[in-house]
Amino acid sequence: MEKDRINKIRCGIAVVLQWTAVAVPLSLVCISHSTLPMGETVGQWGWFDKAAIVVPIGILLSLLVSSNKVALSYVSAISWVLIVQGSAEAVWGLRQLYGFTSSNHPLYALTGSFFNPGPYSGYLAMTLPVCLYQWLLCRQKRRTLRQPRQDRWSREAIVREAGYAATSLAMLLVLCVLPAGMSRSAWLAAGISCLWVYGCYAGWGNRIRGQWRLHRRRTAVIAIGMSCLLLLAGGLLFALKPDSARGRLFMWKITCNAIAGKPWEGHGTGNFAAAYGDAQETYFAAGDYEPWEERVAGSPEYAFNEYLQAAVELGVPLALCLLAVVMACLHIGIRKRRYGVCGAVLSLMVFSFSSYPLQLPVFMVTFGGLLLACVSEGSRREWLALAVLAGSVGGLRLENDLKTEHACREWMNAKVLYNAGAYESAEKDYGRLYPLLKDRASFLFEYGHALHRQQKAKDSNRILKEALRRSNDPMILNVIGKNYWQAGDYLSAEEWFIRSTHRLPGRIYPYYLLAKLYAEQEFRQPDKFEEMKRIVLTKEPKVNSTAVRQMREEIKKLRNHKQGKYE
């Protein structure tokens, strides 16, 4: 008896250490840094690196404490970690909705620990099928306790009751918050994944096959009816935010054009924005487009479709290979009847069709953990391999990520000088931080713009052209054109301003710059000036603002001042 009690204690300690080892790296979802630029993820990567170094310690201790016969369940660990963290995120969102906690974005009341309600809703949608499956398992085990022969006050019974209550509460919290995020992609991901999980648990596949063999006509009619309902639901979701839906469709269209430019080798990791900007510029320059496309066009950082973005950056063959690996892991997980983690993978795959989850560290790390859960057997050898892998990744990344995080904090201080107009002081800080932050487009733009403000046209263009390889923001083109204008190279300035009108024709500012350029004494072109003036005065802006009114007033005064000379 004493030996059994000691073994149970050792087993309990091993399970706690195991769950801790899984929870620590996944807890980066709760990491939020107000001292870093909005949307900056290096703080989460730094936390992950530190946690990854801690993971081997927890795993090795759990293996030492547990007996050789104990098989530690990685699937159970990651499932309950996601349930706990999904509940914590839901509570965080509820506090934001009721005003107890501020959000991480000034335009949205609900963001959780994220900076945007879209990824936040996607995370909740990913945890919901895990909660559902564990709830179904707990309910099934709970029903067995109603038999008279079972001891309802045994430790196993108490654990099952606690699990049932925890999963019920987790689902309730997530379902309370998820609709408030107003993310149609998350709603769709949660609905499809939860329906699939319940269907697998209830054996719908066998029932449908049986019905098809016995009543093919009735089954076909039901299938057609369900398809019509799905189409109707899709139409209602489209009508909820029509311009947003059209914007996604146009985004995917331009992304496909970018893929067609380099279908085999891709444009390179991290180069989506530049490839997209060039493709959109080429598309609008051709002139064969619909008016609504100009209205919904923007300058996205991501494709809002992970499959298309992977094809742009990696090329179609490599993107298909990665998708095949994911599908193989999912297939293995289904064969092993791990419907909870497979439902989470399915939810993330559906959400990835119209969002950008894999551009954020929390989704990348969680996705890797879920795929591992699909194929893992929980053997001691696999736990040792995971310990070595986590420790190696964390050790290799930690120093560089900590340096980058420190540089981003200093960038925030330099940004204060930049926003205050102290460009000379800001330039010194930007120059010092450049080696560590030269892969961030917004940093490069601020650096180049600070140089522009100091009339350093050549240096400014060098930095801004580097930013153009990482961004599709037309303002970069505008500032480059203004630099050439300062240097007296009017033809180059005109070329860059025209490129800006092609990249995002819905913006009035580049037409305003062209009008002023054509009114320049050394570059006077009356006909082109009149055309640009007409566009500035008559073009319907996407958003009416004070800046638009000021530009129009200035162009009117410029026209009146120069009218005699043009005639």
Side-chain angles (χ1 to χ4, degrees):
M1 289 293 293
E2 184 67 21
K3 187 176 181 180
D4 291 341
R5 189 173 66 85
I6 293 175
N7 286 335
K8 288 181 180 180
I9 294 174
R10 292 177 63 184
C11 181
I13 294 174
V15 169
V16 170
L17 289 171
Q18 166 213 2
W19 285 14
T20 303
V22 175
V24 169
L26 294 181
S27 64
L28 84 166
V29 66
C30 300
I31 304 302
S32 179
H33 294 279
S34 59
T35 57
L36 293 176
M38 183 180 297
E40 180 58 57
T41 60
V42 69
Q44 290 187 335
W45 279 123
W47 170 266
F48 170 75
D49 297 336
K50 298 172 188 175
I53 296 176
V54 176
V55 167
I57 300 174
I59 292 177
L60 293 176
L61 287 176
S62 69
L63 295 178
L64 289 174
V65 171
S66 63
S67 63
N68 293 330
K69 296 181 180 180
V70 174
L72 303 177
S73 175
Y74 175 77
V75 178
S76 176
I78 195 171
S79 297
W80 283 101
V81 166
L82 287 177
I83 289 171
V84 171
Q85 292 182 346
S87 302
E89 282 292 331
V91 171
W92 198 327
L94 286 173
R95 287 176 57 83
Q96 290 175 339
L97 285 176
Y98 286 100
F100 295 107
T101 303
S102 60
S103 72
N104 294 327
H105 197 292
L107 299 180
Y108 305 105
L110 179 66
T111 61
S113 62
F114 295 80
F115 62 93
N116 190 293
Y120 172 66
S121 300
Y123 186 82
L124 294 179
M126 181 180 64
T127 62
L128 189 58
V130 182
C131 296
L132 174 61
Y133 185 64
Q134 291 298 323
W135 178 81
L136 291 170
L137 291 181
C138 291
R139 187 186 65 168
Q140 181 182 8
K141 295 176 181 178
R142 184 169 177 258
R143 286 176 176 174
T144 63
L145 299 178
R146 295 177 181 175
Q147 299 177 11
R149 293 171 297 177
Q150 299 290 338
D151 184 1
R152 298 188 180 185
W153 297 103
S154 66
R155 184 175 62 182
E156 291 77 8
I158 294 174
V159 169
R160 289 169 184 172
E161 288 292 338
Y164 180 79
T167 51
S168 300
L169 178 60
M171 283 198 300
L172 178 63
L173 289 171
V174 172
L175 290 173
C176 285
V177 179
L178 190 57
M182 294 300 293
S183 172
R184 295 159 299 173
S185 302
W187 296 346
L188 193 63
I192 291 176
S193 60
C194 287
L195 188 65
W196 179 84
V197 166
Y198 187 80
C200 291
Y201 174 81
W204 284 1
N206 293 330
R207 294 182 186 180
I208 291 173
R209 284 192 290 269
Q211 287 294 320
W212 176 252
R213 286 194 297 267
L214 296 175
H215 310 285
R216 295 197 173 190
R217 181 175 298 179
R218 185 171 65 181
T219 305
V221 171
I222 294 175
I224 293 173
M226 293 294 293
S227 300
C228 292
L229 287 176
L230 289 175
L231 289 175
L232 178 60
L236 292 175
L237 290 175
F238 182 90
L240 185 63
K241 295 180 181 178
D243 274 356
S244 174
R246 292 191 184 98
R248 297 283 173 91
L249 294 174
F250 177 74
M251 210 181 299
W252 299 342
K253 178 180 180 179
I254 299 299
T255 302
C256 290
N257 291 346
I259 294 171
K262 289 185 177 181
W264 304 111
E265 69 276 20
H267 295 268
T269 304
N271 293 332
F272 166 78
Y276 182 93
D278 292 339
Q280 183 164 288
E281 185 179 327
T282 302
Y283 178 78
F284 281 124
D288 185 20
Y289 59 88
E290 299 294 330
W292 67 267
E293 294 179 323
E294 177 181 323
R295 186 179 71 254
V296 302
S299 305
E301 297 180 57
Y302 315 115
F304 283 80
N305 185 309
E306 293 292 358
Y307 308 99
L308 294 180
Q309 180 149 349
V312 170
E313 296 186 351
L314 306 176
V316 175
L318 185 54
L320 290 176
C321 289
L322 292 176
L323 181 60
V325 170
V326 173
M327 296 302 295
C329 292
L330 190 60
H331 177 68
I332 294 172
I334 294 173
R335 290 184 61 185
K336 294 178 181 292
R337 302 177 66 86
R338 296 172 179 174
Y339 300 132
V341 293
C342 289
V345 171
L346 178 61
S347 175
L348 189 54
M349 292 180 69
V350 174
F351 187 65
S352 297
F353 187 78
S354 54
S355 191
Y356 53 93
L358 297 184
Q359 308 305 313
L360 304 176
V362 56
F363 285 100
M364 293 182 65
V365 174
T366 306
F367 190 43
L370 288 170
L371 293 180
L372 182 60
C374 289
V375 300
S376 173
E377 295 291 346
S379 66
R380 299 174 71 88
R381 183 176 298 177
E382 288 179 348
W383 278 106
L384 285 173
L386 178 61
V388 173
L389 177 62
S392 301
V393 171
L396 291 173
R397 291 177 51 94
L398 181 60
E399 183 179 1
N400 182 66
D401 283 344
L402 289 180
K403 288 181 178 179
T404 305
E405 182 178 352
H406 180 70
C408 285
R409 296 184 192 280
E410 294 191 4
W411 173 21
M412 289 292 286
N413 296 329
K415 189 190 287 283
V416 174
L417 297 174
Y418 170 81
N419 292 332
Y423 298 113
E424 185 175 354
S425 300
E427 179 203 339
K428 296 178 182 178
D429 290 337
Y430 283 119
R432 179 170 50 84
L433 298 174
Y434 170 79
L436 288 171
L437 302 179
K438 60 183 179 180
D439 59 339
R440 285 160 170 76
S442 55
F443 170 83
L444 292 174
F445 175 77
E446 291 174 11
Y447 186 15
H449 190 248
L451 292 168
H452 163 74
R453 288 291 192 176
Q454 298 178 78
Q455 308 293 318
K456 298 179 180 180
K458 185 176 180 180
D459 292 337
S460 176
N461 277 348
R462 175 177 58 83
I463 298 297
L464 290 172
K465 287 179 180 178
E466 193 172 344
L468 201 60
R469 294 196 292 269
R470 295 168 174 82
S471 173
N472 51 32
D473 187 355
M475 274 304 299
I476 299 175
L477 303 175
N478 295 331
V479 179
I480 291 175
K482 290 166 74 174
N483 283 329
Y484 280 115
W485 190 350
Q486 288 177 0
D489 189 348
Y490 301 112
L491 287 175
S492 295
E494 180 188 26
E495 177 186 350
W496 285 93
F497 292 153
I498 290 175
R499 283 191 60 185
S500 181
T501 63
H502 291 158
R503 180 158 294 197
L504 208 57
R507 297 277 180 89
I508 293 178
Y509 186 58
Y511 298 104
Y512 160 80
L513 291 175
L514 281 169
K516 292 188 68 176
L517 179 67
Y518 294 141
E520 187 74 26
Q521 184 66 29
E522 292 80 4
F523 196 65
R524 286 197 308 120
Q525 299 190 39
D527 294 340
K528 291 183 178 180
F529 170 80
E530 291 298 326
E531 176 64 18
M532 293 302 107
K533 177 259 299 181
R534 182 189 63 79
I535 294 175
V536 171
L537 295 180
T538 61
K539 192 175 188 64
E540 186 66 26
K542 193 171 184 178
V543 178
N544 281 303
S545 64
T546 303
V548 172
R549 291 192 294 271
Q550 289 175 345
M551 284 188 285
R552 286 175 172 173
E553 289 297 326
E554 187 173 348
I555 289 298
K556 289 178 182 178
K557 294 177 182 178
L558 187 63
R559 178 195 61 180
N560 294 333
H561 180 68
K562 299 288 185 180
Q563 190 170 6
K565 295 184 178 180
Y566 289 158
E567 291 175 349

